[in-house]
Amino acid sequence: MSQNHTDPIPATDHAPVESLMHEHRLFAPSAEFVAQANVSDPAIYDEADADPEAWWASWAEKLSWVEPWTTVCEFNAPDAKWFVGGKLNVCYNCVDRHAEADPNRRAIVWEGEPGDDRTITFGELKDEISQLANALKAMGVGKGDRVSIYMPMVPELAMAMLACARIGAAHSVVFGGFTAESLQERTNDAQCKAIITADGGWRRGSAVPLLKITRAALELGCPTVEKVLVLRRTGMDEIDRHDERFVSWHHVVPEQSTDCPCEPMDSEDMLFILYTSGSTGKPKGVVHTTGGYLTGVSATAKLVFDLKPDDLHFCTADCGWITGHSYIVYGPLANGATVLMYEGAPDTPDKDRFWQIIEKHRATILYTAPTAIRTFMKWGDEYPNRCDLSSLRLLGSVGEPINPEAWIWYHETIGKGNCPLVDTWWQTETGAIMVTPLPGITVAKPGSATHPFPGISIRVLTEEGHGPDIRGPKAEPASSGFLVIDRPWPSMTRGIFGDHDRFIKTYWSRFDGKYFAGDGISLDEDGYLWLLGRVDDIMLVAGHNISTMEVESALVSHPAVAEAAVIGKTHDVKGQAISAFVTLRAGIHGDEALEKTLKKHVGEKIGPIARPDDIFFSAELPKTRSGKIMRRLLRDVAEGRALGDTTTLADPSVVNALKNVYEDKEG
Ligand code: PRX
């Protein structure tokens, strides 16, 4: 065995609680990795726990501040302020200070789906962002305004985020796969003054008509939007010259001065809003602020990914999600590392695209999602085996629990057994990674996200609020419960934009004064944490949060539908797939054509990721006597299990009828 191998250690005989597979091997980092790691001394955990505020302050001190803070943290649950009184600019920290130190170092290496590529140095990035920031100012955007960004994965997307940060405007990035209605809803909720978009973007060989969709959103009504800045990417569309709201990026941005001072921002000023699904259906505008967020993402990027200035960090997420915000843009760039950004699909032109990109650019870190890993497994080893992946030195996973089979495949087939694998648990709301191995310290158990990041206090609580001390000398075996965070952390969300009551109700009411994440979690006898999935009505479909309510509302907005109940059922690639149970209005017959129509309808309302995988028509839905739909039973039906307790149903025959419908359909 080579020295550089991640050694399997003979396991203890304690099977992890609710493990998905009987995988008993443990994986320790190699001596070689440990020797070069940013952190290799486990004392870091005790040091952070002994004085969390001092620990976080030591990370904040690594940033460049215009004015120092006076108080590290003020916390009056749920309201937190970090680095109170301090002033800084995020763009300065992510771009300018590195440009000043070495303007020729690479900041962004970008690969377009058609195969075009571009490398941007920190010096170039600073100039281009400054020009864009000046263009935004000329469009009337300034400090305190909000801007929707609806763009493909091109470098200009990262520039748009950073240009907003430079002038003190908060961005709200809307994923390019979302529909006009979703863009409109988010733009209006955040009262955005401008939208930055592109004519289109490449996805699986076709151009996604972003400008056309933006126009449709404006037609639906976006009263606060004064200007729309449009980048030319595909050449598929032209801006509307008769409409003064539209501004061509190519006409306006290059003309601007490359001199644009960074606006000094209060540590607690809003940096961005990012919308995420909520269990009541309406998306929540999760707010992140300046100093705390940047401290959290820069510390985690450095320790979790063992990030060094000469790394090429390839995070495959889209900037429309929090993973792209924190670990494509802000975390790695704050550390002066180089990020690799890819525009398109993993199977275009062929199923080896990611591996080709890694080989071509010599990426050192790969951060992707279990759903992608399971897809690659299904496609077969021939694709990665065609490429030279020897530049990789660390692998990461995020978005949903990674099953041990996928963990092992990723470790062996992609990492060749040489790369530590970090399974990172966190959320849009937490801003930064919360539960994770530290690659130079942690002995990994496949399928477990292992331990809280230093300074983070996770609890595993029962309904009544009891739970073991997870850092205690001996954890209570097999305890499982709700994931709760009982100490503030810098990158925690400061709220839901415009809806503080909902913020309190969703996260801070279940366990008084503590953050309730909405995930189930268990702790094994060795003190390892295992994520068990959502405990609320949020589905995790291919790593994306989609609320059952959101899909139900889309379904009932169709004239044929009387009532709908949606559940996430286990799916071997996507983690969860969407099953919808639908009752139709009187006189309407459910057939294949209607099923297709309804799937398309949901796709158009929310976006393709929310399309149900299957729709079952039923005369009635199983309800309790008080009229609540029993989703648990629908899940039993959809997953082909024996039905659980049906005694609380108003009419138990309903569920049996449904089971027959399901079995007929599945054959
Ligand atoms: O259920 C957890 C799951 O994703 C949820 C957060 O989704 P989102 O806000 O979209 O952020 C995703 C990227 C950070 C969590 O509540 N989740 C995320 N990472 C993991 C995970 N579940 C298990 N293991 C993970 N590593």
mmCIF file of all heavy atoms in Angstrom, residues 56 272 288 292-301 304-305 322-323 325-327 331 367 398 424-436 453 456 458 485 489-493:
data_model
loop_
_atom_site.group_PDB
_atom_site.id
_atom_site.type_symbol
_atom_site.label_atom_id
_atom_site.label_comp_id
_atom_site.label_asym_id
_atom_site.label_seq_id
_atom_site.Cartn_x
_atom_site.Cartn_y
_atom_site.Cartn_z
ATOM 1 N N TRP A 56 -13.912 32.323 16.745
ATOM 2 C CA TRP A 56 -14.433 32.948 15.520
ATOM 3 C C TRP A 56 -13.748 34.285 15.257
ATOM 4 O O TRP A 56 -13.475 34.639 14.113
ATOM 5 C CB TRP A 56 -15.953 33.122 15.601
ATOM 6 C CG TRP A 56 -16.706 31.827 15.500
ATOM 7 C CD1 TRP A 56 -17.493 31.259 16.454
ATOM 8 C CD2 TRP A 56 -16.735 30.927 14.381
ATOM 9 N NE1 TRP A 56 -18.013 30.063 16.006
ATOM 10 C CE2 TRP A 56 -17.566 29.839 14.732
ATOM 11 C CE3 TRP A 56 -16.139 30.930 13.111
ATOM 12 C CZ2 TRP A 56 -17.819 28.761 13.868
ATOM 13 C CZ3 TRP A 56 -16.390 29.871 12.247
ATOM 14 C CH2 TRP A 56 -17.217 28.803 12.629
ATOM 15 N N PHE A 272 -26.631 39.250 0.967
ATOM 16 C CA PHE A 272 -27.524 38.673 -0.045
ATOM 17 C C PHE A 272 -28.764 38.061 0.576
ATOM 18 O O PHE A 272 -28.830 37.828 1.787
ATOM 19 C CB PHE A 272 -26.801 37.647 -0.922
ATOM 20 C CG PHE A 272 -26.326 36.392 -0.232
ATOM 21 C CD1 PHE A 272 -27.183 35.320 -0.010
ATOM 22 C CD2 PHE A 272 -24.996 36.264 0.165
ATOM 23 C CE1 PHE A 272 -26.731 34.157 0.603
ATOM 24 C CE2 PHE A 272 -24.530 35.104 0.773
ATOM 25 C CZ PHE A 272 -25.402 34.050 1.000
ATOM 26 N N HIS A 288 -28.469 36.771 4.511
ATOM 27 C CA HIS A 288 -27.122 36.676 5.084
ATOM 28 C C HIS A 288 -26.466 38.051 5.099
ATOM 29 O O HIS A 288 -26.699 38.867 4.201
ATOM 30 C CB HIS A 288 -26.265 35.670 4.313
ATOM 31 C CG HIS A 288 -26.594 34.257 4.678
ATOM 32 N ND1 HIS A 288 -26.263 33.716 5.906
ATOM 33 C CD2 HIS A 288 -27.281 33.291 4.023
ATOM 34 C CE1 HIS A 288 -26.701 32.467 5.973
ATOM 35 N NE2 HIS A 288 -27.336 32.188 4.835
ATOM 36 N N GLY A 292 -20.121 38.266 9.437
ATOM 37 C CA GLY A 292 -20.263 36.909 9.971
ATOM 38 C C GLY A 292 -20.236 35.876 8.857
ATOM 39 O O GLY A 292 -19.565 34.844 8.961
ATOM 40 N N TYR A 293 -20.966 36.153 7.783
ATOM 41 C CA TYR A 293 -21.023 35.197 6.666
ATOM 42 C C TYR A 293 -19.625 34.966 6.103
ATOM 43 O O TYR A 293 -19.187 33.818 5.917
ATOM 44 C CB TYR A 293 -21.972 35.713 5.574
ATOM 45 C CG TYR A 293 -21.957 34.850 4.329
ATOM 46 C CD1 TYR A 293 -22.649 33.649 4.281
ATOM 47 C CD2 TYR A 293 -21.208 35.230 3.213
ATOM 48 C CE1 TYR A 293 -22.622 32.843 3.163
ATOM 49 C CE2 TYR A 293 -21.174 34.432 2.077
ATOM 50 C CZ TYR A 293 -21.884 33.239 2.055
ATOM 51 O OH TYR A 293 -21.837 32.439 0.934
ATOM 52 N N LEU A 294 -18.908 36.054 5.851
ATOM 53 C CA LEU A 294 -17.590 35.897 5.233
ATOM 54 C C LEU A 294 -16.620 35.161 6.164
ATOM 55 O O LEU A 294 -15.809 34.346 5.714
ATOM 56 C CB LEU A 294 -17.016 37.259 4.812
ATOM 57 C CG LEU A 294 -15.867 37.151 3.818
ATOM 58 C CD1 LEU A 294 -16.322 36.517 2.503
ATOM 59 C CD2 LEU A 294 -15.232 38.508 3.543
ATOM 60 N N THR A 295 -16.755 35.421 7.453
ATOM 61 C CA THR A 295 -15.915 34.709 8.424
ATOM 62 C C THR A 295 -16.218 33.212 8.377
ATOM 63 O O THR A 295 -15.309 32.375 8.313
ATOM 64 C CB THR A 295 -16.178 35.262 9.843
ATOM 65 O OG1 THR A 295 -15.876 36.654 9.846
ATOM 66 C CG2 THR A 295 -15.330 34.543 10.884
ATOM 67 N N GLY A 296 -17.504 32.880 8.375
ATOM 68 C CA GLY A 296 -17.903 31.463 8.370
ATOM 69 C C GLY A 296 -17.456 30.735 7.126
ATOM 70 O O GLY A 296 -16.893 29.638 7.203
ATOM 71 N N VAL A 297 -17.674 31.348 5.959
ATOM 72 C CA VAL A 297 -17.327 30.616 4.729
ATOM 73 C C VAL A 297 -15.815 30.561 4.512
ATOM 74 O O VAL A 297 -15.300 29.575 3.990
ATOM 75 C CB VAL A 297 -18.050 31.156 3.463
ATOM 76 C CG1 VAL A 297 -19.562 30.948 3.599
ATOM 77 C CG2 VAL A 297 -17.721 32.591 3.141
ATOM 78 N N SER A 298 -15.107 31.602 4.940
ATOM 79 C CA SER A 298 -13.658 31.544 4.699
ATOM 80 C C SER A 298 -12.998 30.538 5.640
ATOM 81 O O SER A 298 -12.112 29.783 5.229
ATOM 82 C CB SER A 298 -13.008 32.935 4.785
ATOM 83 O OG SER A 298 -13.227 33.500 6.042
ATOM 84 N N ALA A 299 -13.468 30.473 6.896
ATOM 85 C CA ALA A 299 -12.889 29.501 7.837
ATOM 86 C C ALA A 299 -13.184 28.073 7.396
ATOM 87 O O ALA A 299 -12.283 27.221 7.361
ATOM 88 C CB ALA A 299 -13.448 29.736 9.243
ATOM 89 N N THR A 300 -14.444 27.812 7.025
ATOM 90 C CA THR A 300 -14.797 26.441 6.635
ATOM 91 C C THR A 300 -14.109 26.042 5.327
ATOM 92 O O THR A 300 -13.624 24.915 5.203
ATOM 93 C CB THR A 300 -16.324 26.271 6.506
ATOM 94 O OG1 THR A 300 -16.842 27.362 5.730
ATOM 95 C CG2 THR A 300 -16.998 26.260 7.868
ATOM 96 N N ALA A 301 -14.040 26.966 4.363
ATOM 97 C CA ALA A 301 -13.376 26.628 3.096
ATOM 98 C C ALA A 301 -11.926 26.231 3.371
ATOM 99 O O ALA A 301 -11.413 25.258 2.814
ATOM 100 C CB ALA A 301 -13.434 27.797 2.118
ATOM 101 N N VAL A 304 -12.130 22.751 5.907
ATOM 102 C CA VAL A 304 -12.830 21.553 5.420
ATOM 103 C C VAL A 304 -12.216 21.073 4.100
ATOM 104 O O VAL A 304 -12.065 19.878 3.875
ATOM 105 C CB VAL A 304 -14.339 21.834 5.255
ATOM 106 C CG1 VAL A 304 -15.048 20.626 4.646
ATOM 107 C CG2 VAL A 304 -14.962 22.214 6.595
ATOM 108 N N PHE A 305 -11.860 22.020 3.231
ATOM 109 C CA PHE A 305 -11.282 21.633 1.932
ATOM 110 C C PHE A 305 -9.757 21.702 1.957
ATOM 111 O O PHE A 305 -9.115 21.539 0.924
ATOM 112 C CB PHE A 305 -11.847 22.512 0.810
ATOM 113 C CG PHE A 305 -13.340 22.416 0.708
ATOM 114 C CD1 PHE A 305 -14.155 23.496 0.998
ATOM 115 C CD2 PHE A 305 -13.931 21.211 0.361
ATOM 116 C CE1 PHE A 305 -15.539 23.389 0.935
ATOM 117 C CE2 PHE A 305 -15.315 21.091 0.293
ATOM 118 C CZ PHE A 305 -16.120 22.185 0.583
ATOM 119 N N ILE A 322 -27.018 27.811 -2.433
ATOM 120 C CA ILE A 322 -26.085 28.315 -1.410
ATOM 121 C C ILE A 322 -24.686 27.710 -1.593
ATOM 122 O O ILE A 322 -23.678 28.368 -1.335
ATOM 123 C CB ILE A 322 -26.615 28.040 0.025
ATOM 124 C CG1 ILE A 322 -25.799 28.806 1.078
ATOM 125 C CG2 ILE A 322 -26.626 26.561 0.346
ATOM 126 C CD1 ILE A 322 -25.922 30.283 1.064
ATOM 127 N N THR A 323 -24.613 26.475 -2.066
ATOM 128 C CA THR A 323 -23.297 25.852 -2.222
ATOM 129 C C THR A 323 -22.438 26.666 -3.185
ATOM 130 O O THR A 323 -21.237 26.854 -2.954
ATOM 131 C CB THR A 323 -23.447 24.398 -2.716
ATOM 132 O OG1 THR A 323 -24.344 23.732 -1.828
ATOM 133 C CG2 THR A 323 -22.121 23.666 -2.732
ATOM 134 N N HIS A 325 -22.799 29.908 -3.767
ATOM 135 C CA HIS A 325 -22.454 31.173 -3.104
ATOM 136 C C HIS A 325 -21.231 30.978 -2.201
ATOM 137 O O HIS A 325 -20.261 31.720 -2.275
ATOM 138 C CB HIS A 325 -23.608 31.660 -2.211
ATOM 139 C CG HIS A 325 -24.746 32.300 -2.937
ATOM 140 N ND1 HIS A 325 -25.487 31.661 -3.889
ATOM 141 C CD2 HIS A 325 -25.288 33.547 -2.820
ATOM 142 C CE1 HIS A 325 -26.435 32.477 -4.333
ATOM 143 N NE2 HIS A 325 -26.334 33.632 -3.698
ATOM 144 N N SER A 326 -21.327 29.968 -1.332
ATOM 145 C CA SER A 326 -20.325 29.840 -0.267
ATOM 146 C C SER A 326 -19.046 29.155 -0.727
ATOM 147 O O SER A 326 -17.971 29.485 -0.227
ATOM 148 C CB SER A 326 -20.922 29.067 0.915
ATOM 149 O OG SER A 326 -22.043 29.756 1.429
ATOM 150 N N TYR A 327 -19.170 28.184 -1.664
ATOM 151 C CA TYR A 327 -17.966 27.414 -2.004
ATOM 152 C C TYR A 327 -17.582 27.445 -3.479
ATOM 153 O O TYR A 327 -16.718 26.687 -3.905
ATOM 154 C CB TYR A 327 -18.086 25.987 -1.435
ATOM 155 C CG TYR A 327 -18.236 26.069 0.079
ATOM 156 C CD1 TYR A 327 -19.440 25.773 0.707
ATOM 157 C CD2 TYR A 327 -17.186 26.542 0.883
ATOM 158 C CE1 TYR A 327 -19.597 25.914 2.084
ATOM 159 C CE2 TYR A 327 -17.326 26.686 2.258
ATOM 160 C CZ TYR A 327 -18.533 26.373 2.850
ATOM 161 O OH TYR A 327 -18.674 26.531 4.207
ATOM 162 N N GLY A 331 -16.251 31.663 -0.241
ATOM 163 C CA GLY A 331 -15.277 30.975 0.619
ATOM 164 C C GLY A 331 -13.909 30.811 -0.037
ATOM 165 O O GLY A 331 -12.885 31.257 0.493
ATOM 166 N N TYR A 367 -16.013 19.012 -5.296
ATOM 167 C CA TYR A 367 -17.108 19.092 -4.314
ATOM 168 C C TYR A 367 -18.396 18.915 -5.094
ATOM 169 O O TYR A 367 -18.751 19.751 -5.924
ATOM 170 C CB TYR A 367 -17.047 20.467 -3.652
ATOM 171 C CG TYR A 367 -17.933 20.674 -2.431
ATOM 172 C CD1 TYR A 367 -18.194 19.650 -1.514
ATOM 173 C CD2 TYR A 367 -18.468 21.938 -2.155
ATOM 174 C CE1 TYR A 367 -18.968 19.880 -0.389
ATOM 175 C CE2 TYR A 367 -19.235 22.172 -1.023
ATOM 176 C CZ TYR A 367 -19.485 21.134 -0.150
ATOM 177 O OH TYR A 367 -20.250 21.369 0.981
ATOM 178 N N VAL A 398 -22.131 17.001 -0.645
ATOM 179 C CA VAL A 398 -23.089 17.900 0.016
ATOM 180 C C VAL A 398 -24.477 17.768 -0.590
ATOM 181 O O VAL A 398 -24.610 17.454 -1.769
ATOM 182 C CB VAL A 398 -22.651 19.379 -0.103
ATOM 183 C CG1 VAL A 398 -22.544 19.845 -1.535
ATOM 184 C CG2 VAL A 398 -23.617 20.308 0.662
ATOM 185 N N THR A 424 -20.304 16.860 3.977
ATOM 186 C CA THR A 424 -20.570 18.096 4.705
ATOM 187 C C THR A 424 -22.071 18.358 4.831
ATOM 188 O O THR A 424 -22.774 18.435 3.839
ATOM 189 C CB THR A 424 -19.941 19.282 3.952
ATOM 190 O OG1 THR A 424 -20.537 19.365 2.653
ATOM 191 C CG2 THR A 424 -18.444 19.103 3.785
ATOM 192 N N TRP A 425 -22.545 18.487 6.055
ATOM 193 C CA TRP A 425 -23.953 18.834 6.276
ATOM 194 C C TRP A 425 -24.069 20.316 6.592
ATOM 195 O O TRP A 425 -23.357 20.830 7.468
ATOM 196 C CB TRP A 425 -24.561 18.039 7.441
ATOM 197 C CG TRP A 425 -25.988 18.479 7.684
ATOM 198 C CD1 TRP A 425 -27.097 17.954 7.107
ATOM 199 C CD2 TRP A 425 -26.443 19.563 8.516
ATOM 200 N NE1 TRP A 425 -28.219 18.657 7.526
ATOM 201 C CE2 TRP A 425 -27.843 19.639 8.390
ATOM 202 C CE3 TRP A 425 -25.797 20.486 9.350
ATOM 203 C CZ2 TRP A 425 -28.616 20.587 9.067
ATOM 204 C CZ3 TRP A 425 -26.564 21.438 10.013
ATOM 205 C CH2 TRP A 425 -27.965 21.469 9.873
ATOM 206 N N TRP A 426 -24.956 20.967 5.884
ATOM 207 C CA TRP A 426 -25.284 22.361 6.202
ATOM 208 C C TRP A 426 -26.508 22.754 5.406
ATOM 209 O O TRP A 426 -27.121 21.903 4.762
ATOM 210 C CB TRP A 426 -24.091 23.289 5.948
ATOM 211 C CG TRP A 426 -23.514 23.276 4.548
ATOM 212 C CD1 TRP A 426 -22.894 22.227 3.923
ATOM 213 C CD2 TRP A 426 -23.491 24.365 3.613
ATOM 214 N NE1 TRP A 426 -22.487 22.609 2.653
ATOM 215 C CE2 TRP A 426 -22.840 23.902 2.442
ATOM 216 C CE3 TRP A 426 -23.929 25.684 3.653
ATOM 217 C CZ2 TRP A 426 -22.640 24.723 1.328
ATOM 218 C CZ3 TRP A 426 -23.729 26.493 2.545
ATOM 219 C CH2 TRP A 426 -23.086 26.010 1.403
ATOM 220 N N GLN A 427 -26.874 24.009 5.442
ATOM 221 C CA GLN A 427 -28.113 24.477 4.813
ATOM 222 C C GLN A 427 -27.950 25.898 4.305
ATOM 223 O O GLN A 427 -27.058 26.619 4.751
ATOM 224 C CB GLN A 427 -29.241 24.547 5.847
ATOM 225 C CG GLN A 427 -29.471 23.295 6.639
ATOM 226 C CD GLN A 427 -30.558 23.503 7.676
ATOM 227 O OE1 GLN A 427 -30.397 24.319 8.578
ATOM 228 N NE2 GLN A 427 -31.655 22.775 7.547
ATOM 229 N N THR A 428 -28.879 26.314 3.439
ATOM 230 C CA THR A 428 -28.923 27.708 3.010
ATOM 231 C C THR A 428 -28.889 28.612 4.257
ATOM 232 O O THR A 428 -28.183 29.621 4.299
ATOM 233 C CB THR A 428 -30.225 27.971 2.220
ATOM 234 O OG1 THR A 428 -30.298 27.022 1.165
ATOM 235 C CG2 THR A 428 -30.261 29.371 1.659
ATOM 236 N N GLU A 429 -29.643 28.211 5.249
ATOM 237 C CA GLU A 429 -29.784 29.040 6.445
ATOM 238 C C GLU A 429 -28.515 29.091 7.296
ATOM 239 O O GLU A 429 -28.274 30.072 7.994
ATOM 240 C CB GLU A 429 -30.923 28.497 7.331
ATOM 241 C CG GLU A 429 -32.298 28.550 6.699
ATOM 242 C CD GLU A 429 -32.620 27.315 5.838
ATOM 243 O OE1 GLU A 429 -31.683 26.607 5.413
ATOM 244 O OE2 GLU A 429 -33.815 27.082 5.594
ATOM 245 N N THR A 430 -27.724 28.027 7.279
ATOM 246 C CA THR A 430 -26.519 28.037 8.122
ATOM 247 C C THR A 430 -25.369 28.776 7.439
ATOM 248 O O THR A 430 -24.380 29.089 8.085
ATOM 249 C CB THR A 430 -26.045 26.613 8.496
ATOM 250 O OG1 THR A 430 -25.557 25.963 7.316
ATOM 251 C CG2 THR A 430 -27.144 25.791 9.134
ATOM 252 N N GLY A 431 -25.492 29.029 6.137
ATOM 253 C CA GLY A 431 -24.503 29.821 5.401
ATOM 254 C C GLY A 431 -23.217 29.079 5.114
ATOM 255 O O GLY A 431 -22.646 29.217 4.043
ATOM 256 N N ALA A 432 -22.755 28.314 6.074
ATOM 257 C CA ALA A 432 -21.488 27.605 5.934
ATOM 258 C C ALA A 432 -21.646 26.188 6.491
ATOM 259 O O ALA A 432 -22.633 25.878 7.169
ATOM 260 C CB ALA A 432 -20.380 28.347 6.675
ATOM 261 N N ILE A 433 -20.639 25.361 6.222
ATOM 262 C CA ILE A 433 -20.643 23.957 6.643
ATOM 263 C C ILE A 433 -20.687 23.851 8.174
ATOM 264 O O ILE A 433 -19.967 24.558 8.867
ATOM 265 C CB ILE A 433 -19.381 23.264 6.079
ATOM 266 C CG1 ILE A 433 -19.486 23.173 4.550
ATOM 267 C CG2 ILE A 433 -19.174 21.892 6.714
ATOM 268 C CD1 ILE A 433 -18.188 22.789 3.845
ATOM 269 N N MET A 434 -21.529 22.956 8.657
ATOM 270 C CA MET A 434 -21.745 22.800 10.105
ATOM 271 C C MET A 434 -21.264 21.459 10.656
ATOM 272 O O MET A 434 -20.761 21.373 11.755
ATOM 273 C CB MET A 434 -23.250 22.895 10.432
ATOM 274 C CG MET A 434 -23.898 24.202 10.129
ATOM 275 S SD MET A 434 -23.566 25.417 11.406
ATOM 276 C CE MET A 434 -22.507 26.473 10.484
ATOM 277 N N VAL A 435 -21.527 20.374 9.908
ATOM 278 C CA VAL A 435 -21.111 19.038 10.360
ATOM 279 C C VAL A 435 -20.244 18.462 9.256
ATOM 280 O O VAL A 435 -20.661 18.416 8.093
ATOM 281 C CB VAL A 435 -22.324 18.115 10.606
ATOM 282 C CG1 VAL A 435 -21.863 16.744 11.093
ATOM 283 C CG2 VAL A 435 -23.291 18.730 11.607
ATOM 284 N N THR A 436 -19.047 18.022 9.613
ATOM 285 C CA THR A 436 -18.093 17.619 8.574
ATOM 286 C C THR A 436 -16.848 16.990 9.194
ATOM 287 O O THR A 436 -16.471 17.334 10.311
ATOM 288 C CB THR A 436 -17.643 18.868 7.771
ATOM 289 O OG1 THR A 436 -16.667 18.473 6.787
ATOM 290 C CG2 THR A 436 -16.999 19.932 8.644
ATOM 291 N N PHE A 453 -18.315 21.070 13.028
ATOM 292 C CA PHE A 453 -17.140 21.899 12.757
ATOM 293 C C PHE A 453 -16.731 22.574 14.080
ATOM 294 O O PHE A 453 -17.586 22.878 14.910
ATOM 295 C CB PHE A 453 -17.526 22.952 11.701
ATOM 296 C CG PHE A 453 -16.380 23.790 11.223
ATOM 297 C CD1 PHE A 453 -15.471 23.289 10.301
ATOM 298 C CD2 PHE A 453 -16.209 25.091 11.691
ATOM 299 C CE1 PHE A 453 -14.404 24.068 9.865
ATOM 300 C CE2 PHE A 453 -15.141 25.872 11.257
ATOM 301 C CZ PHE A 453 -14.229 25.358 10.337
ATOM 302 N N ILE A 456 -18.942 24.913 16.524
ATOM 303 C CA ILE A 456 -20.376 24.689 16.286
ATOM 304 C C ILE A 456 -20.891 23.702 17.325
ATOM 305 O O ILE A 456 -20.279 22.659 17.559
ATOM 306 C CB ILE A 456 -20.600 24.114 14.862
ATOM 307 C CG1 ILE A 456 -20.099 25.095 13.797
ATOM 308 C CG2 ILE A 456 -22.071 23.757 14.640
ATOM 309 C CD1 ILE A 456 -20.784 26.441 13.769
ATOM 310 N N ILE A 458 -23.775 21.267 18.075
ATOM 311 C CA ILE A 458 -24.933 20.519 17.569
ATOM 312 C C ILE A 458 -25.509 19.676 18.705
ATOM 313 O O ILE A 458 -24.765 19.094 19.496
ATOM 314 C CB ILE A 458 -24.484 19.565 16.423
ATOM 315 C CG1 ILE A 458 -23.832 20.338 15.273
ATOM 316 C CG2 ILE A 458 -25.634 18.673 15.955
ATOM 317 C CD1 ILE A 458 -24.740 21.006 14.312
ATOM 318 N N ILE A 485 -29.147 23.342 16.836
ATOM 319 C CA ILE A 485 -27.875 24.035 17.075
ATOM 320 C C ILE A 485 -28.122 25.001 18.235
ATOM 321 O O ILE A 485 -29.034 25.834 18.167
ATOM 322 C CB ILE A 485 -27.383 24.774 15.811
ATOM 323 C CG1 ILE A 485 -27.422 23.833 14.594
ATOM 324 C CG2 ILE A 485 -25.962 25.314 16.020
ATOM 325 C CD1 ILE A 485 -27.008 24.453 13.263
ATOM 326 N N TRP A 489 -23.614 31.099 15.610
ATOM 327 C CA TRP A 489 -22.395 31.010 14.804
ATOM 328 C C TRP A 489 -22.421 32.160 13.796
ATOM 329 O O TRP A 489 -23.505 32.644 13.450
ATOM 330 C CB TRP A 489 -22.282 29.639 14.148
ATOM 331 C CG TRP A 489 -23.323 29.347 13.113
ATOM 332 C CD1 TRP A 489 -23.181 29.389 11.764
ATOM 333 C CD2 TRP A 489 -24.699 28.949 13.342
ATOM 334 N NE1 TRP A 489 -24.359 29.052 11.138
ATOM 335 C CE2 TRP A 489 -25.316 28.784 12.072
ATOM 336 C CE3 TRP A 489 -25.480 28.736 14.493
ATOM 337 C CZ2 TRP A 489 -26.650 28.410 11.932
ATOM 338 C CZ3 TRP A 489 -26.812 28.370 14.334
ATOM 339 C CH2 TRP A 489 -27.388 28.207 13.077
ATOM 340 N N PRO A 490 -21.257 32.598 13.333
ATOM 341 C CA PRO A 490 -21.226 33.856 12.561
ATOM 342 C C PRO A 490 -22.052 33.852 11.289
ATOM 343 O O PRO A 490 -22.668 34.860 10.951
ATOM 344 C CB PRO A 490 -19.735 34.036 12.226
ATOM 345 C CG PRO A 490 -19.001 33.241 13.239
ATOM 346 C CD PRO A 490 -19.891 32.095 13.619
ATOM 347 N N SER A 491 -22.077 32.722 10.549
ATOM 348 C CA SER A 491 -22.746 32.736 9.241
ATOM 349 C C SER A 491 -24.208 32.323 9.338
ATOM 350 O O SER A 491 -24.819 32.002 8.326
ATOM 351 C CB SER A 491 -22.009 31.808 8.271
ATOM 352 O OG SER A 491 -22.093 30.475 8.732
ATOM 353 N N MET A 492 -24.775 32.314 10.533
ATOM 354 C CA MET A 492 -26.194 31.954 10.658
ATOM 355 C C MET A 492 -27.059 33.002 9.968
ATOM 356 O O MET A 492 -26.723 34.191 9.946
ATOM 357 C CB MET A 492 -26.594 31.829 12.130
ATOM 358 C CG MET A 492 -26.489 33.106 12.917
ATOM 359 S SD MET A 492 -26.408 32.824 14.706
ATOM 360 C CE MET A 492 -28.122 32.505 15.086
ATOM 361 N N THR A 493 -28.173 32.556 9.363
ATOM 362 C CA THR A 493 -29.054 33.526 8.712
ATOM 363 C C THR A 493 -29.600 34.499 9.760
ATOM 364 O O THR A 493 -29.845 34.132 10.906
ATOM 365 C CB THR A 493 -30.221 32.836 7.983
ATOM 366 O OG1 THR A 493 -31.087 33.855 7.484
ATOM 367 C CG2 THR A 493 -31.025 31.915 8.878
#
